[in-house]
Amino acid sequence: MNNSQEAVSELKRITDSYENIVFFGGAGVSTESGIPDFRSVDGLYHQQYDYPPETILSHTFYRRKPEEFYRFYRNKMLFTDAKPNAAHLKLAEWEAEGRLKAVVTQNIDGLHQAAGSKTVLELHGSVLRNYCESCGCFHDIGYILNTEGVPRCQRCGGPVKPDVVLYEEGLNDKTINDAIRFIHTADVLIIGGTSLAVYPAAGLIDYFKGDKLVVINKSPTPRDSHADLLIQAPIGEVFSQL
């Protein structure tokens, strides 16, 4: 089913009927806020650099060429002007009403929290948090943007690393376990703005055993055939009609 009025009406019926909804989202939730999707045609993966983004955003590259890592990171990963869109705002509204239990996100931009969501499980971390690798001292995104080269801790001078899961790094165990618990016990799971191509995150969907699976994404996903409701459209556009 595409982005027809009938599909949107069915989505509204589902979200009005249940009080244990979990949302699982990816880059497509933030593209309508002006944050590029790595894997879209216009995304970072199709731009030219000395190294491909997958290489730059890896643990190995961060250790070997931290200055080059930070040049790319400041340039292409930090979007301080981005604002929550209709999808972020609607999810926060549902949570405030007690119907949405958690947002499980692959995004690192903090826009769900900016919209007012409280229970947000960030599978891949957040650009808003940065920690000294020597003493653990916290530094915000502004500190990273206002430094050059490898940012150094104000307290001890150690290197500061973003609280973002790089390629080759494992996900946080507690975040994973909490996400599994919320997904496993949900009555409705809404998958939005993700092609479900990134593992292990995408594998969390396997834990859903509830009543209704909703998939909202511009391009096909491996779960389309399992969906009780499939809407192939930008998620912000869909949620703005609810």
Side-chain angles (χ1 to χ4, degrees):
M1 192 181 284
N2 59 19
N3 183 21
S4 65
Q5 197 52 52
E6 183 188 339
V8 174
S9 297
E10 175 64 8
L11 176 60
K12 183 163 179 14
R13 189 192 69 73
I14 291 171
T15 55
D16 284 348
S17 305
Y18 288 88
E19 294 191 343
N20 186 353
I21 302 168
V22 170
F23 180 80
F24 182 95
V29 180
S30 293
T31 49
E32 289 165 276
S33 292
I35 295 178
D37 172 6
F38 275 22
R39 287 167 186 77
S40 70
V41 176
D42 307 316
L44 297 179
Y45 280 58
H46 294 267
Q47 300 176 25
Q48 297 302 307
Y49 300 96
D50 292 344
Y51 305 89
E54 297 100 324
T55 301
I56 298 174
L57 296 173
S58 69
H59 181 83
T60 300
F61 193 92
Y62 171 77
R63 289 283 173 237
R64 286 181 184 164
K65 296 180 179 286
E67 297 223 351
E68 183 71 6
F69 169 89
Y70 264 110
R71 192 167 69 88
F72 176 88
Y73 182 76
R74 286 190 186 93
N75 223 6
K76 296 295 180 186
M77 303 297 292
L78 304 180
F79 298 89
T80 51
D81 294 337
K83 298 282 187 286
N85 61 52
H88 299 105
L89 296 168
K90 181 57 72 174
L91 291 165
E93 183 186 309
W94 286 342
E95 183 183 29
E97 293 169 357
R99 284 183 288 149
L100 183 86
K101 301 308 178 192
V103 168
V104 181
T105 182
Q106 300 171 79
N107 296 338
I108 57 176
D109 50 50
L111 288 179
H112 285 292
Q113 291 93 329
S117 288
K118 303 282 189 272
T119 306
V120 182
L121 305 178
E122 296 173 310
L123 296 174
H124 297 148
S126 171
V127 297
L128 304 183
R129 300 186 300 267
N130 308 273
Y131 296 98
C132 172
E133 294 196 79
S134 299
C135 75
C137 184
F138 171 83
H139 297 75
D140 65 14
I141 189 171
Y143 184 73
I144 303 301
L145 284 167
N146 291 317
T147 52
E148 292 182 0
V150 179
R152 294 283 167 182
C153 177
Q154 289 175 297
R155 183 193 289 166
C156 77
V160 175
K161 183 176 187 289
D163 189 13
V164 168
V165 179
L166 302 176
Y167 288 100
E168 307 164 350
E169 293 180 344
L171 306 192
N172 178 278
D173 284 343
K174 184 183 184 311
T175 307
I176 285 284
N177 290 332
D178 288 349
I180 288 171
R181 181 168 51 82
F182 277 113
I183 290 170
H184 182 67
T185 57
D187 294 326
V188 175
L189 178 63
I190 301 175
I191 298 171
T194 173
S195 57
L196 295 175
V198 177
Y199 281 82
L204 297 177
I205 305 305
D206 293 338
Y207 291 93
F208 178 63
K209 302 290 184 252
D211 293 347
K212 297 286 184 186
L213 178 65
V214 177
V215 177
I216 307 168
N217 197 49
K218 286 199 294 189
S219 57
T221 82
R223 300 290 166 151
D224 290 359
S225 60
H226 300 98
D228 297 288
L229 176 62
L230 173 63
I231 304 179
Q232 290 190 315
I235 187 164
E237 186 182 293
V238 174
F239 275 33
S240 67
Q241 298 175 62
L242 293 173

